[in-house]
Amino acid sequence: MRAGTPNPVVVVGGGIGGLATALALQRNGWAVRVLERGTSVDGGGAGLVLSPNAVRCLEALGVAEEVRSRATVLRRSVVRQAGGRLLARTDLDVPGAGGPLLGVVRADLSAALAAALEPGTLRLGTVVDAVADLDAELVVGADGLRSVVRGAMGSQTPPTHRGYTAWRALVPRRSDLPDPATTLTETWGRGARLGIVPVGTGSTYVYACATAPAGRRPDESGELAEVRNRFRDWHAPIGELLAAVEPGMLLRHDVHDLTPGEVALRRGRYVLVGDAGHAMEPNLGQGAGLALEDAVVLAHVLDAEPTYDAALVRYARERGPRVAALGRQSRRIGRLAQHAPPAVAAVRDLAVRATPGRVVRRATGLATDWHPPSPAPPPPEENP
Ligand SMILES: Cc1cc2nc3c(=O)[nH]c(=O)nc-3n(C[C@H](O)[C@H](O)[C@H](O)COP(=O)(O)OP(=O)(O)OC[C@H]3O[C@@H](n4cnc5c(N)ncnc54)[C@H](O)[C@@H]3O)c2cc1C
């Protein structure tokens, strides 16, 4: 199908999924508008880990070098117990592992995607509430967990609270991290986890999860005090890292997902990318990566297929099974890493200790081995 329709493609939501989709489509010649309710593309979400599949998408989108120049290359991941004991160490930058991860400041990723768009593409401060009124050939719902586009498609699937809360913050890089500055460290306790990730060019991203009912605390200083208190006995320098979080800079999200496989990714001329279609627990660190994959696949099928219908049917067929499988895998990890009762957690820790790195790499291969589709061949030359 050729780009160049009279009405543009409208992308609702200017998060990573929406910006990447707009960029992928624009690179193929489509007219695109992104409607984002926020007044800036700030990428609120502290840091992000990008796996090789996500990095390949950035390459396909032409922004990989820009993102790499602002990222930390993560060559190893380790898992520790709350007291600091090493449970597992996995080298990520070895043959067969797919390549290292990138630790990025989320705002840097959003900025790199936004800067690559043609001027005027992004309409900030634009809230979409009546999807049917949008003047568009195709509406892409990139509007996250509580997507209005998904609602307009008649989806009855509500987000499910997964029984835990995540906190995230960026702090300045320290020189006394427990592992080298190219290492992602995740520490597991009972009903709680904490990650330390060098990101960007001088920051450390700290994320923490704890089993907790949904609901916000009344004030942010109470929130920060709660996190510091929950992790106060954990190994160094977790206390110092949490002490370095500036008041007002701690993000809290109750973790929700969409039941894997329940959401139809397209209906008529509406199609979903990213969390709008398949929000998942953050245990694989793949939500943004899958949104990037959606973007390049959607652009590819629109180019390759003769009609919108054929393209969107193919999009849903190619993306549905993959995102559902990863959503289920992330739920399984959540049950083990987050919700295991003490006896099970003890066995889990022993099992993690005994598992060789290559087995861990194989388990994550489902997510990381993915490659973007090759560009569609050019249309045949017309006879003069
Ligand atoms: C704790 C945690 C850690 C994570 N870590 C990672 C990680 O390391 N790696 C990774 O790949 N993923 C990670 N993720 C997942 C990742 O954050 C999400 O999957 C990703 O941000 C989804 O992007 P999106 O663009 O689909 O949705 P969103 O980021 O939610 O963007 C949706 C956008 O739509 C806008 N919007 C919503 N409604 C409207 C409307 N009506 N009108 C106009 N605009 C609207 C919003 O303002 C927003 O900008 C993590 C998630 C959590 C919770």
PDB file of all heavy atoms in Angstrom, residues 161-189:
ATOM      1  N   HIS A 161      -4.844  -5.168  38.620  1.00  0.00           N
ATOM      2  CA  HIS A 161      -3.768  -4.855  39.562  1.00  0.00           C
ATOM      3  C   HIS A 161      -3.063  -6.156  39.923  1.00  0.00           C
ATOM      4  O   HIS A 161      -3.701  -7.156  40.246  1.00  0.00           O
ATOM      5  CB  HIS A 161      -4.335  -4.182  40.823  1.00  0.00           C
ATOM      6  CG  HIS A 161      -3.267  -3.836  41.805  1.00  0.00           C
ATOM      7  ND1 HIS A 161      -3.239  -4.310  43.101  1.00  0.00           N
ATOM      8  CD2 HIS A 161      -2.165  -3.072  41.655  1.00  0.00           C
ATOM      9  CE1 HIS A 161      -2.162  -3.848  43.713  1.00  0.00           C
ATOM     10  NE2 HIS A 161      -1.498  -3.091  42.865  1.00  0.00           N
ATOM     11  N   ARG A 162      -1.724  -6.154  39.871  1.00  0.00           N
ATOM     12  CA  ARG A 162      -0.958  -7.392  40.045  1.00  0.00           C
ATOM     13  C   ARG A 162      -0.443  -7.575  41.465  1.00  0.00           C
ATOM     14  O   ARG A 162       0.439  -8.402  41.718  1.00  0.00           O
ATOM     15  CB  ARG A 162       0.206  -7.438  39.051  1.00  0.00           C
ATOM     16  CG  ARG A 162      -0.192  -7.323  37.592  1.00  0.00           C
ATOM     17  CD  ARG A 162      -1.191  -8.385  37.163  1.00  0.00           C
ATOM     18  NE  ARG A 162      -0.658  -9.720  37.321  1.00  0.00           N
ATOM     19  CZ  ARG A 162      -1.392 -10.824  37.381  1.00  0.00           C
ATOM     20  NH1 ARG A 162      -2.712 -10.745  37.315  1.00  0.00           N
ATOM     21  NH2 ARG A 162      -0.829 -11.998  37.532  1.00  0.00           N
ATOM     22  N   GLY A 163      -0.956  -6.777  42.394  1.00  0.00           N
ATOM     23  CA  GLY A 163      -0.649  -7.025  43.806  1.00  0.00           C
ATOM     24  C   GLY A 163       0.648  -6.394  44.286  1.00  0.00           C
ATOM     25  O   GLY A 163       1.084  -6.664  45.398  1.00  0.00           O
ATOM     26  N   TYR A 164       1.269  -5.555  43.467  1.00  0.00           N
ATOM     27  CA  TYR A 164       2.471  -4.874  43.940  1.00  0.00           C
ATOM     28  C   TYR A 164       2.606  -3.498  43.316  1.00  0.00           C
ATOM     29  O   TYR A 164       1.908  -3.158  42.352  1.00  0.00           O
ATOM     30  CB  TYR A 164       3.732  -5.717  43.747  1.00  0.00           C
ATOM     31  CG  TYR A 164       4.086  -6.153  42.341  1.00  0.00           C
ATOM     32  CD1 TYR A 164       5.133  -5.540  41.655  1.00  0.00           C
ATOM     33  CD2 TYR A 164       3.425  -7.200  41.717  1.00  0.00           C
ATOM     34  CE1 TYR A 164       5.508  -5.963  40.385  1.00  0.00           C
ATOM     35  CE2 TYR A 164       3.783  -7.618  40.445  1.00  0.00           C
ATOM     36  CZ  TYR A 164       4.816  -7.003  39.781  1.00  0.00           C
ATOM     37  OH  TYR A 164       5.182  -7.423  38.521  1.00  0.00           O
ATOM     38  N   THR A 165       3.511  -2.766  43.932  1.00  0.00           N
ATOM     39  CA  THR A 165       3.719  -1.365  43.553  1.00  0.00           C
ATOM     40  C   THR A 165       5.168  -1.189  43.128  1.00  0.00           C
ATOM     41  O   THR A 165       6.048  -1.868  43.658  1.00  0.00           O
ATOM     42  CB  THR A 165       3.409  -0.478  44.781  1.00  0.00           C
ATOM     43  OG1 THR A 165       1.995  -0.519  44.985  1.00  0.00           O
ATOM     44  CG2 THR A 165       3.846   0.956  44.605  1.00  0.00           C
ATOM     45  N   ALA A 166       5.393  -0.303  42.180  1.00  0.00           N
ATOM     46  CA  ALA A 166       6.768  -0.015  41.748  1.00  0.00           C
ATOM     47  C   ALA A 166       7.094   1.450  42.018  1.00  0.00           C
ATOM     48  O   ALA A 166       6.264   2.326  41.785  1.00  0.00           O
ATOM     49  CB  ALA A 166       6.920  -0.313  40.261  1.00  0.00           C
ATOM     50  N   TRP A 167       8.298   1.682  42.518  1.00  0.00           N
ATOM     51  CA  TRP A 167       8.814   3.045  42.686  1.00  0.00           C
ATOM     52  C   TRP A 167      10.039   3.190  41.786  1.00  0.00           C
ATOM     53  O   TRP A 167      10.809   2.229  41.612  1.00  0.00           O
ATOM     54  CB  TRP A 167       9.263   3.291  44.135  1.00  0.00           C
ATOM     55  CG  TRP A 167       8.171   3.279  45.140  1.00  0.00           C
ATOM     56  CD1 TRP A 167       7.401   4.335  45.530  1.00  0.00           C
ATOM     57  CD2 TRP A 167       7.737   2.156  45.938  1.00  0.00           C
ATOM     58  NE1 TRP A 167       6.516   3.945  46.513  1.00  0.00           N
ATOM     59  CE2 TRP A 167       6.708   2.616  46.781  1.00  0.00           C
ATOM     60  CE3 TRP A 167       8.124   0.816  46.021  1.00  0.00           C
ATOM     61  CZ2 TRP A 167       6.054   1.799  47.697  1.00  0.00           C
ATOM     62  CZ3 TRP A 167       7.471  -0.009  46.929  1.00  0.00           C
ATOM     63  CH2 TRP A 167       6.451   0.479  47.751  1.00  0.00           C
ATOM     64  N   ARG A 168      10.197   4.379  41.248  1.00  0.00           N
ATOM     65  CA  ARG A 168      11.350   4.609  40.369  1.00  0.00           C
ATOM     66  C   ARG A 168      11.934   5.986  40.604  1.00  0.00           C
ATOM     67  O   ARG A 168      11.203   6.939  40.864  1.00  0.00           O
ATOM     68  CB  ARG A 168      10.921   4.526  38.900  1.00  0.00           C
ATOM     69  CG  ARG A 168      10.614   3.137  38.439  1.00  0.00           C
ATOM     70  CD  ARG A 168      10.100   3.123  37.015  1.00  0.00           C
ATOM     71  NE  ARG A 168       8.696   3.450  36.935  1.00  0.00           N
ATOM     72  CZ  ARG A 168       8.004   3.518  35.796  1.00  0.00           C
ATOM     73  NH1 ARG A 168       8.598   3.315  34.659  1.00  0.00           N
ATOM     74  NH2 ARG A 168       6.721   3.800  35.812  1.00  0.00           N
ATOM     75  N   ALA A 169      13.251   6.075  40.498  1.00  0.00           N
ATOM     76  CA  ALA A 169      13.906   7.386  40.640  1.00  0.00           C
ATOM     77  C   ALA A 169      15.260   7.349  39.949  1.00  0.00           C
ATOM     78  O   ALA A 169      15.851   6.278  39.760  1.00  0.00           O
ATOM     79  CB  ALA A 169      14.089   7.726  42.113  1.00  0.00           C
ATOM     80  N   LEU A 170      15.732   8.528  39.589  1.00  0.00           N
ATOM     81  CA  LEU A 170      17.098   8.694  39.090  1.00  0.00           C
ATOM     82  C   LEU A 170      17.912   9.401  40.155  1.00  0.00           C
ATOM     83  O   LEU A 170      17.433  10.368  40.766  1.00  0.00           O
ATOM     84  CB  LEU A 170      17.117   9.576  37.841  1.00  0.00           C
ATOM     85  CG  LEU A 170      16.610   8.988  36.533  1.00  0.00           C
ATOM     86  CD1 LEU A 170      16.676  10.057  35.445  1.00  0.00           C
ATOM     87  CD2 LEU A 170      17.410   7.758  36.131  1.00  0.00           C
ATOM     88  N   VAL A 171      19.129   8.940  40.372  1.00  0.00           N
ATOM     89  CA  VAL A 171      20.043   9.639  41.282  1.00  0.00           C
ATOM     90  C   VAL A 171      21.385   9.771  40.573  1.00  0.00           C
ATOM     91  O   VAL A 171      21.657   9.033  39.616  1.00  0.00           O
ATOM     92  CB  VAL A 171      20.210   8.877  42.630  1.00  0.00           C
ATOM     93  CG1 VAL A 171      18.899   8.818  43.391  1.00  0.00           C
ATOM     94  CG2 VAL A 171      20.769   7.477  42.412  1.00  0.00           C
ATOM     95  N   PRO A 172      22.246  10.681  41.052  1.00  0.00           N
ATOM     96  CA  PRO A 172      23.560  10.807  40.398  1.00  0.00           C
ATOM     97  C   PRO A 172      24.340   9.497  40.533  1.00  0.00           C
ATOM     98  O   PRO A 172      24.198   8.777  41.521  1.00  0.00           O
ATOM     99  CB  PRO A 172      24.239  11.936  41.177  1.00  0.00           C
ATOM    100  CG  PRO A 172      23.122  12.678  41.830  1.00  0.00           C
ATOM    101  CD  PRO A 172      22.041  11.684  42.101  1.00  0.00           C
ATOM    102  N   ARG A 173      25.184   9.200  39.547  1.00  0.00           N
ATOM    103  CA  ARG A 173      25.996   7.981  39.545  1.00  0.00           C
ATOM    104  C   ARG A 173      26.942   7.988  40.745  1.00  0.00           C
ATOM    105  O   ARG A 173      27.530   8.999  41.082  1.00  0.00           O
ATOM    106  CB  ARG A 173      26.789   7.928  38.232  1.00  0.00           C
ATOM    107  CG  ARG A 173      27.614   6.689  37.979  1.00  0.00           C
ATOM    108  CD  ARG A 173      26.818   5.523  37.425  1.00  0.00           C
ATOM    109  NE  ARG A 173      26.046   5.755  36.226  1.00  0.00           N
ATOM    110  CZ  ARG A 173      26.497   5.605  34.970  1.00  0.00           C
ATOM    111  NH1 ARG A 173      27.746   5.277  34.747  1.00  0.00           N
ATOM    112  NH2 ARG A 173      25.692   5.789  33.952  1.00  0.00           N
ATOM    113  N   ARG A 174      27.107   6.840  41.398  1.00  0.00           N
ATOM    114  CA  ARG A 174      28.050   6.706  42.512  1.00  0.00           C
ATOM    115  C   ARG A 174      29.227   5.840  42.071  1.00  0.00           C
ATOM    116  O   ARG A 174      29.102   5.025  41.171  1.00  0.00           O
ATOM    117  CB  ARG A 174      27.368   6.019  43.703  1.00  0.00           C
ATOM    118  CG  ARG A 174      26.220   6.780  44.289  1.00  0.00           C
ATOM    119  CD  ARG A 174      25.597   5.952  45.391  1.00  0.00           C
ATOM    120  NE  ARG A 174      26.515   5.697  46.483  1.00  0.00           N
ATOM    121  CZ  ARG A 174      26.614   6.455  47.573  1.00  0.00           C
ATOM    122  NH1 ARG A 174      25.843   7.500  47.711  1.00  0.00           N
ATOM    123  NH2 ARG A 174      27.485   6.169  48.518  1.00  0.00           N
ATOM    124  N   SER A 175      30.320   5.985  42.755  1.00  0.00           N
ATOM    125  CA  SER A 175      31.488   5.174  42.385  1.00  0.00           C
ATOM    126  C   SER A 175      31.557   3.894  43.213  1.00  0.00           C
ATOM    127  O   SER A 175      32.406   3.048  42.971  1.00  0.00           O
ATOM    128  CB  SER A 175      32.766   5.988  42.580  1.00  0.00           C
ATOM    129  OG  SER A 175      32.798   6.455  43.903  1.00  0.00           O
ATOM    130  N   ASP A 176      30.653   3.747  44.216  1.00  0.00           N
ATOM    131  CA  ASP A 176      30.759   2.569  45.099  1.00  0.00           C
ATOM    132  C   ASP A 176      29.621   1.573  44.874  1.00  0.00           C
ATOM    133  O   ASP A 176      29.157   0.924  45.796  1.00  0.00           O
ATOM    134  CB  ASP A 176      30.741   3.021  46.567  1.00  0.00           C
ATOM    135  CG  ASP A 176      29.462   3.768  46.910  1.00  0.00           C
ATOM    136  OD1 ASP A 176      28.719   4.133  45.975  1.00  0.00           O
ATOM    137  OD2 ASP A 176      29.197   3.970  48.106  1.00  0.00           O
ATOM    138  N   LEU A 177      29.160   1.454  43.618  1.00  0.00           N
ATOM    139  CA  LEU A 177      28.126   0.458  43.325  1.00  0.00           C
ATOM    140  C   LEU A 177      28.708  -0.935  43.579  1.00  0.00           C
ATOM    141  O   LEU A 177      29.919  -1.139  43.450  1.00  0.00           O
ATOM    142  CB  LEU A 177      27.640   0.592  41.883  1.00  0.00           C
ATOM    143  CG  LEU A 177      26.942   1.909  41.544  1.00  0.00           C
ATOM    144  CD1 LEU A 177      26.571   1.961  40.067  1.00  0.00           C
ATOM    145  CD2 LEU A 177      25.689   2.089  42.392  1.00  0.00           C
ATOM    146  N   PRO A 178      27.845  -1.926  43.934  1.00  0.00           N
ATOM    147  CA  PRO A 178      28.380  -3.243  44.295  1.00  0.00           C
ATOM    148  C   PRO A 178      28.993  -3.969  43.102  1.00  0.00           C
ATOM    149  O   PRO A 178      29.778  -4.888  43.265  1.00  0.00           O
ATOM    150  CB  PRO A 178      27.143  -3.996  44.806  1.00  0.00           C
ATOM    151  CG  PRO A 178      25.972  -3.281  44.220  1.00  0.00           C
ATOM    152  CD  PRO A 178      26.391  -1.862  44.053  1.00  0.00           C
ATOM    153  N   ASP A 179      28.626  -3.569  41.908  1.00  0.00           N
ATOM    154  CA  ASP A 179      29.109  -4.246  40.707  1.00  0.00           C
ATOM    155  C   ASP A 179      29.630  -3.189  39.740  1.00  0.00           C
ATOM    156  O   ASP A 179      29.316  -2.006  39.889  1.00  0.00           O
ATOM    157  CB  ASP A 179      27.955  -5.041  40.090  1.00  0.00           C
ATOM    158  CG  ASP A 179      27.432  -6.089  41.069  1.00  0.00           C
ATOM    159  OD1 ASP A 179      28.177  -7.028  41.355  1.00  0.00           O
ATOM    160  OD2 ASP A 179      26.311  -5.935  41.583  1.00  0.00           O
ATOM    161  N   PRO A 180      30.430  -3.593  38.741  1.00  0.00           N
ATOM    162  CA  PRO A 180      30.995  -2.584  37.826  1.00  0.00           C
ATOM    163  C   PRO A 180      29.920  -1.735  37.164  1.00  0.00           C
ATOM    164  O   PRO A 180      28.753  -2.135  37.074  1.00  0.00           O
ATOM    165  CB  PRO A 180      31.733  -3.446  36.796  1.00  0.00           C
ATOM    166  CG  PRO A 180      31.962  -4.750  37.458  1.00  0.00           C
ATOM    167  CD  PRO A 180      30.852  -4.951  38.438  1.00  0.00           C
ATOM    168  N   ALA A 181      30.348  -0.595  36.677  1.00  0.00           N
ATOM    169  CA  ALA A 181      29.403   0.398  36.147  1.00  0.00           C
ATOM    170  C   ALA A 181      28.733  -0.037  34.854  1.00  0.00           C
ATOM    171  O   ALA A 181      27.980   0.730  34.263  1.00  0.00           O
ATOM    172  CB  ALA A 181      30.120   1.728  35.946  1.00  0.00           C
ATOM    173  N   THR A 182      28.985  -1.251  34.398  1.00  0.00           N
ATOM    174  CA  THR A 182      28.287  -1.754  33.220  1.00  0.00           C
ATOM    175  C   THR A 182      27.381  -2.918  33.609  1.00  0.00           C
ATOM    176  O   THR A 182      27.066  -3.774  32.798  1.00  0.00           O
ATOM    177  CB  THR A 182      29.298  -2.234  32.166  1.00  0.00           C
ATOM    178  OG1 THR A 182      30.184  -3.162  32.799  1.00  0.00           O
ATOM    179  CG2 THR A 182      30.091  -1.083  31.581  1.00  0.00           C
ATOM    180  N   THR A 183      26.959  -2.937  34.873  1.00  0.00           N
ATOM    181  CA  THR A 183      26.182  -4.068  35.390  1.00  0.00           C
ATOM    182  C   THR A 183      24.823  -3.624  35.893  1.00  0.00           C
ATOM    183  O   THR A 183      24.701  -2.615  36.586  1.00  0.00           O
ATOM    184  CB  THR A 183      26.943  -4.736  36.563  1.00  0.00           C
ATOM    185  OG1 THR A 183      28.221  -5.126  36.098  1.00  0.00           O
ATOM    186  CG2 THR A 183      26.204  -5.950  37.088  1.00  0.00           C
ATOM    187  N   LEU A 184      23.819  -4.404  35.546  1.00  0.00           N
ATOM    188  CA  LEU A 184      22.471  -4.220  36.089  1.00  0.00           C
ATOM    189  C   LEU A 184      22.355  -5.161  37.288  1.00  0.00           C
ATOM    190  O   LEU A 184      22.568  -6.365  37.147  1.00  0.00           O
ATOM    191  CB  LEU A 184      21.461  -4.600  35.006  1.00  0.00           C
ATOM    192  CG  LEU A 184      19.962  -4.474  35.226  1.00  0.00           C
ATOM    193  CD1 LEU A 184      19.255  -4.581  33.880  1.00  0.00           C
ATOM    194  CD2 LEU A 184      19.391  -5.528  36.160  1.00  0.00           C
ATOM    195  N   THR A 185      22.061  -4.613  38.446  1.00  0.00           N
ATOM    196  CA  THR A 185      21.952  -5.442  39.654  1.00  0.00           C
ATOM    197  C   THR A 185      20.495  -5.498  40.094  1.00  0.00           C
ATOM    198  O   THR A 185      19.852  -4.451  40.235  1.00  0.00           O
ATOM    199  CB  THR A 185      22.771  -4.833  40.814  1.00  0.00           C
ATOM    200  OG1 THR A 185      24.106  -4.661  40.380  1.00  0.00           O
ATOM    201  CG2 THR A 185      22.739  -5.734  42.047  1.00  0.00           C
ATOM    202  N   GLU A 186      19.974  -6.693  40.297  1.00  0.00           N
ATOM    203  CA  GLU A 186      18.637  -6.805  40.898  1.00  0.00           C
ATOM    204  C   GLU A 186      18.773  -7.595  42.189  1.00  0.00           C
ATOM    205  O   GLU A 186      19.402  -8.656  42.218  1.00  0.00           O
ATOM    206  CB  GLU A 186      17.641  -7.463  39.937  1.00  0.00           C
ATOM    207  CG  GLU A 186      16.226  -7.396  40.507  1.00  0.00           C
ATOM    208  CD  GLU A 186      15.107  -7.521  39.482  1.00  0.00           C
ATOM    209  OE1 GLU A 186      14.996  -6.662  38.592  1.00  0.00           O
ATOM    210  OE2 GLU A 186      14.329  -8.491  39.604  1.00  0.00           O
ATOM    211  N   THR A 187      18.197  -7.066  43.260  1.00  0.00           N
ATOM    212  CA  THR A 187      18.296  -7.694  44.572  1.00  0.00           C
ATOM    213  C   THR A 187      16.915  -8.167  44.995  1.00  0.00           C
ATOM    214  O   THR A 187      15.937  -7.418  44.884  1.00  0.00           O
ATOM    215  CB  THR A 187      18.877  -6.682  45.594  1.00  0.00           C
ATOM    216  OG1 THR A 187      20.154  -6.252  45.122  1.00  0.00           O
ATOM    217  CG2 THR A 187      19.027  -7.309  46.967  1.00  0.00           C
ATOM    218  N   TRP A 188      16.853  -9.406  45.427  1.00  0.00           N
ATOM    219  CA  TRP A 188      15.564 -10.015  45.755  1.00  0.00           C
ATOM    220  C   TRP A 188      15.438 -10.251  47.255  1.00  0.00           C
ATOM    221  O   TRP A 188      16.323 -10.854  47.881  1.00  0.00           O
ATOM    222  CB  TRP A 188      15.427 -11.381  45.066  1.00  0.00           C
ATOM    223  CG  TRP A 188      15.271 -11.306  43.586  1.00  0.00           C
ATOM    224  CD1 TRP A 188      15.275 -10.185  42.814  1.00  0.00           C
ATOM    225  CD2 TRP A 188      15.092 -12.414  42.701  1.00  0.00           C
ATOM    226  NE1 TRP A 188      15.108 -10.519  41.494  1.00  0.00           N
ATOM    227  CE2 TRP A 188      14.989 -11.890  41.392  1.00  0.00           C
ATOM    228  CE3 TRP A 188      14.998 -13.794  42.878  1.00  0.00           C
ATOM    229  CZ2 TRP A 188      14.808 -12.687  40.279  1.00  0.00           C
ATOM    230  CZ3 TRP A 188      14.825 -14.596  41.762  1.00  0.00           C
ATOM    231  CH2 TRP A 188      14.725 -14.047  40.479  1.00  0.00           C
ATOM    232  N   GLY A 189      14.335  -9.783  47.811  1.00  0.00           N
ATOM    233  CA  GLY A 189      14.003 -10.101  49.202  1.00  0.00           C
ATOM    234  C   GLY A 189      12.687 -10.849  49.224  1.00  0.00           C
ATOM    235  O   GLY A 189      12.291 -11.463  48.237  1.00  0.00           O
TER     236      GLY A 189
END
